[in-house]
Amino acid sequence: MSARWGCGYAGRVLLVDLTAGRSTIEPLDHGVARRFLGGRGLNMRVLYDEVTPGVHPLSPENRLMFATGPLVGTHFPGACRVNVSARSPLTGILGDSNAGGFFGPELKYAGFDQVIIQGRAPRPVYLFITDEGAHLRPAEHLWGLDVWETQQAIRSELGDEGVQVGVAGPAAENGVLFAGVFFNLARPAARTGMGTVMASKNRKAVAVRGRGMVRVADPAAFASLVGTADAAIFAHPEYDARRRLGTTRLVRALHGLGCLASFHFRTGCFPGVDRVSGERLAATYRVKGKACFGCTIPCSRFFRIESGPFAGLASEGPEFEGLAGFSSRVGNDDLAVALRAIDMCNRYGMDVISASEAISFVMELGEAGLVSSREADGLDLRWGNANTILALLEKICRREGIGDVLAGGVRRAAELIGRGSERYAMHVKGLEVFQADPRGIKGYALGVAVASRGGDHLRSEPWFELTGDSEEATRRFGEAEAAQRLSPRGKGRLVKYYEERCALADCLQVCKNTLVNMEILPYDQAACILAAATGWEFSEEELQASCERLVNLERCYNARLGLGRADDTLPDRFTREPLPPDSGPSAGSVVELDQMLDEYYLARGWDLSTGLPKGETLSRLGLEISVNPGAAAPGGCS
Ligand code: SF4
């Protein structure tokens, strides 16, 4: 089968210069699209080539990119996603975030695989994309509106409820460095401050409406492969639990394992878990299930609070990260308060992980006597105080008082506060870590330490370590203990494997719930579906190498900014302080990071002392670049 451009891929890239107020449409380059597959691959290649170390994240020269993948907009299950990328203002390194919902497919229907935005508009604007290209529309009247109000205002103005909208909320306008781009109200590309970059360009929103369709090269083969994938999803042992509870089931599950982020990682179990679990949420407030475009699980839900101080509050979700973040992490066992906090983050446009870390960080500083109530604007910093949680979110969004200190993330906040507060800041490379305690899941610990966008679990998701399947672990990773979550052994190869699976999901723009956690599409089938969609012949090995190439390119991008092995680290709490006795089956555990790093670098073909790719590794992957730590590499990566 030969490649047919316009199958799978739309074949067009939209370039927007906000300073000049103009846009152009260019064809997507075949060679580039094959080497740097789909959303994350396309964006990363532009980031490497065009956003060199001298480009400040909030300068007009930073690129803000939206890209989909070759399956998006088809009926392949969960092929709905979009990657948003730029240099991050929160971390200073690679910034990237991925969202589901309906925006990605709509962008494909408008005929675009990627949108690259540079410059800064002289006045607030929003970008409206149609099949004909980009239209810049005034947005002074939208500035200051929250995410929900903005989406509704744009849909009303355009007279079309089918327009898909990505919004930077008031937090982004105010310069909160962990503000995201929010799609479909509660489907954010939340991490690494992509909304902050968008607002810095004087751009309030991006809206899209397409009239086209996505063609595939071999419709019969494609339909047959979709049928196989759907059958695998329906037959999966976790199908019912995912459908009923989504990711919220992890609150109780991680508590049971003793590694639920509780009281800012001071322990791995939360005494109030039964009042805030996903099961309690479903029994108390759930109204119905919800799905992203084309999803056959689906894992999302819709809730409504009928009585009490938050009566009338209704929204999609929440996901595990928000639910645990505003319950166990901050020591709050009032479910309605947690739902209100998540709703505030969605409306203001803030990342729930970074926001809940900021609040639990300052609560622990209060307990340790490093920040007084007076310094915190008179707030009561005791764990779980509902008024304090909600007031801090308001203050962070407005950058007011203690909120201004926290709005730059906990790394900066610790620098401002001083007094040894850095040891309480739970971040890696400036990005706040998630709601599971790495001491109880060591593959995840390694994944978070080495992730290309900072303290992030979604770059690897090595869930296999929770299976206990020693036989399969030996077969796949050469080490039986790769399937034991509390063992450091075998985790280097495990994380390498799952990093590439996550890269595959982010390139095809298929949901990680299906492609990574349920593993419904092994590489051989992925190569077949890619061929059926695009007409490209891809071997299993070639596809895996493409994912490995992307991981290496991201490593080179960060190396150029001066990062190496010394930055692949975790907060001291995880490597030096054992989980306390009340952490159930994880009690006493710490992360043996150095041992795991050595194994990981060996598996990757990276230098053990620097943590950077060796020349022979880059050559094998066809990356003709040299790693020169801390200095701008000449030329681009293509
Ligand atoms: S599994 Fe959940 S997050 Fe993934 S596509 Fe389906 S509804 Fe969206």
Side-chain angles (χ1 to χ4, degrees):
M1 206 186 329
S2 61
R4 288 173 51 197
W5 213 224
C7 288
Y9 286 99
R12 299 195 304 171
V13 177
L14 179 62
L15 303 168
V16 181
D17 184 335
L18 292 170
T19 305
R22 65 166 178 257
S23 63
T24 53
I25 297 171
E26 290 192 353
L28 179 65
D29 184 285
H30 271 242
V32 168
R34 191 175 169 113
R35 278 166 53 74
F36 302 100
L37 273 179
R40 187 169 139 195
L42 290 174
N43 282 357
M44 193 54 229
R45 182 254 176 186
V46 174
L47 199 69
Y48 190 93
D49 282 356
E50 300 183 16
V51 184
T52 50
V55 174
H56 189 280
L58 298 179
S59 71
E61 288 72 35
N62 199 4
R63 305 293 194 265
L64 180 65
M65 293 165 279
F66 299 74
T68 67
L71 304 186
V72 172
T74 70
H75 63 301
F76 188 84
C80 62
R81 304 191 71 90
V82 58
N83 258 64
V84 186
S85 317
R87 186 172 176 192
S88 166
L90 177 65
T91 63
I93 60 171
L94 180 162
D96 184 55
S97 203
N98 179 280
F102 295 80
F103 185 93
E106 201 67 33
L107 190 60
K108 288 283 289 288
Y109 299 151
F112 296 103
D113 299 299
Q114 188 181 28
V115 181
I116 305 172
I117 296 157
Q118 62 176 305
R120 176 178 293 141
R123 285 180 298 283
V125 294
Y126 74 90
L127 182 65
F128 181 38
I129 300 169
T130 65
D131 303 50
E132 286 73 45
H135 315 265
L136 287 172
R137 299 178 66 105
E140 277 103 341
H141 60 299
L142 303 175
W143 213 251
L145 297 187
D146 74 22
V147 168
W148 291 39
E149 293 164 342
T150 305
Q151 173 173 302
Q152 194 47 54
I154 288 175
R155 284 181 168 175
S156 300
E157 186 171 306
L158 296 172
D160 185 348
E161 289 295 312
V163 168
Q164 299 303 322
V165 189
V167 179
E173 295 171 14
N174 296 336
V176 175
L177 294 185
F178 46 82
V181 178
F182 280 62
F183 303 94
N184 299 114
L185 306 182
R187 287 258 157 219
R191 306 235 72 194
T192 69
M194 296 299 94
T196 319
V197 174
M198 189 150 112
S200 79
K201 296 183 175 304
N202 251 340
R203 195 159 64 94
K204 177 69 179 172
V206 54
V208 61
R209 186 59 153 148
R211 304 285 173 199
M213 57 184 283
V214 177
R215 291 184 298 141
V216 295
D218 185 340
F222 192 84
S224 167
L225 288 158
V226 167
T228 303
D230 274 335
I233 289 172
F234 297 142
H236 196 279
E238 287 181 2
Y239 176 73
D240 278 332
R242 287 180 178 276
R243 202 175 140 94
R244 202 163 48 83
L245 298 173
T247 54
T248 63
R249 73 196 190 290
L250 294 174
V251 174
R252 187 180 268 171
L254 290 178
H255 166 86
L257 295 174
C259 56
L260 176 66
S262 303
F263 303 100
H264 199 223
F265 300 99
R266 285 168 63 250
T267 178
C269 293
F270 184 53
V273 68
D274 287 332
R275 290 189 286 280
V276 296
S277 66
E279 290 82 352
R280 173 57 63 101
L281 173 68
T284 311
Y285 298 126
R286 179 187 159 115
V287 175
K288 61 178 181 177
K290 266 193 88 97
C292 297
F293 173 92
C295 180
T296 46
I297 296 181
C299 82
S300 196
R301 290 134 287 105
F302 190 87
F303 72 89
R304 179 187 300 278
I305 298 178
E306 299 290 359
S307 60
F310 305 112
L313 173 61
S315 183
E316 182 175 353
E319 299 298 328
F320 162 70
E321 294 297 336
L323 187 58
F326 289 108
S327 58
S328 61
R329 190 170 188 145
V330 298
N332 160 53
D333 63 2
D334 185 329
L335 182 55
V337 169
L339 294 175
R340 173 61 184 143
I342 295 162
D343 184 59
M344 287 172 72
C345 286
N346 286 341
R347 288 175 187 268
Y348 296 163
M350 298 192 292
D351 176 16
V352 291
I353 299 178
S354 292
S356 59
E357 164 58 16
I359 292 172
S360 54
F361 165 72
V362 80
M363 284 180 161
E364 188 170 7
L365 293 187
E367 184 182 66
L370 296 177
V371 167
S372 67
S373 172
R374 184 179 54 77
E375 290 171 301
D377 306 329
L379 293 170
D380 178 350
L381 292 178
R382 279 177 295 185
W383 296 111
N385 186 300
N387 288 337
T388 300
I389 294 166
L390 303 182
L392 281 171
L393 288 174
E394 286 282 354
K395 285 175 174 292
I396 291 170
C397 176
R398 293 191 200 143
R399 297 207 69 142
E400 179 186 289
I402 187 71
D404 189 44
V405 175
L406 300 172
V410 294
R411 181 171 65 180
R412 278 182 185 78
E415 286 167 9
L416 291 169
I417 293 167
R419 307 168 208 171
S421 59
E422 167 56 26
R423 68 177 279 247
Y424 299 95
M426 299 299 156
H427 71 89
V428 176
K429 303 182 180 81
L431 186 67
E432 290 75 13
V433 302
F434 69 147
Q435 318 295 358
D437 194 308
R439 290 170 286 189
I441 37 176
K442 295 186 182 174
Y444 275 85
L446 174 62
V448 166
V450 300
S452 59
R453 63 176 183 175
D456 170 60
H457 57 294
L458 293 173
R459 276 309 206 240
S460 55
E461 287 261 47
W463 62 272
F464 181 83
E465 70 172 331
L466 294 157
T467 63
D469 188 343
S470 304
E471 206 173 304
E472 182 68 1
T474 305
R475 189 184 71 76
R476 288 173 64 177
F477 305 110
E479 171 56 65
E481 291 183 28
Q484 304 298 331
R485 68 184 174 92
L486 294 177
S487 168
R489 294 168 62 93
K491 297 301 166 14
R493 278 157 282 170
L494 178 83
V495 167
K496 176 183 182 294
Y497 175 83
Y498 280 103
E499 280 187 327
E500 286 155 17
R501 289 295 300 179
C502 285
L504 180 66
D506 288 341
C507 288
L508 299 181
Q509 294 298 345
V510 173
C511 180
K512 288 189 178 109
N513 280 331
T514 48
L515 211 72
V516 179
N517 299 105
M518 296 165 89
E519 291 205 64
I520 58 144
L521 196 65
Y523 280 112
D524 57 343
Q525 286 178 29
C528 290
I529 195 101
L530 196 55
T534 64
W536 286 343
E537 293 298 345
F538 250 105
S539 70
E540 188 179 336
E541 293 73 25
E542 212 182 339
L543 193 55
Q544 184 273 331
S546 176
C547 300
E548 192 178 357
R549 183 181 305 124
L550 176 57
V551 173
N552 277 266
L553 180 62
E554 293 182 346
R555 192 71 174 183
C556 291
Y557 182 82
N558 285 338
R560 208 166 58 169
L561 291 161
L563 271 61
R565 178 167 182 146
D567 302 285
D568 290 341
T569 186
L570 292 169
D572 281 357
R573 172 159 294 171
F574 302 142
T575 55
R576 295 192 183 170
E577 297 175 25
L579 269 163
D582 62 356
S583 299
S586 295
S589 183
V590 289
V591 179
E592 302 91 336
L593 186 58
D594 275 336
Q595 176 185 342
M596 293 195 292
L597 281 176
D598 284 350
E599 190 196 304
Y600 172 77
Y601 296 143
L602 272 174
R604 279 244 163 268
W606 293 356
D607 184 272
L608 282 186
S609 60
T610 65
L612 301 182
K614 294 179 180 174
E616 67 214 43
T617 302
L618 296 179
S619 295
R620 176 174 60 80
L621 296 169
L623 282 170
E624 301 306 325
I625 52 179
S626 60
V627 187
N628 185 12
C637 65
S638 46

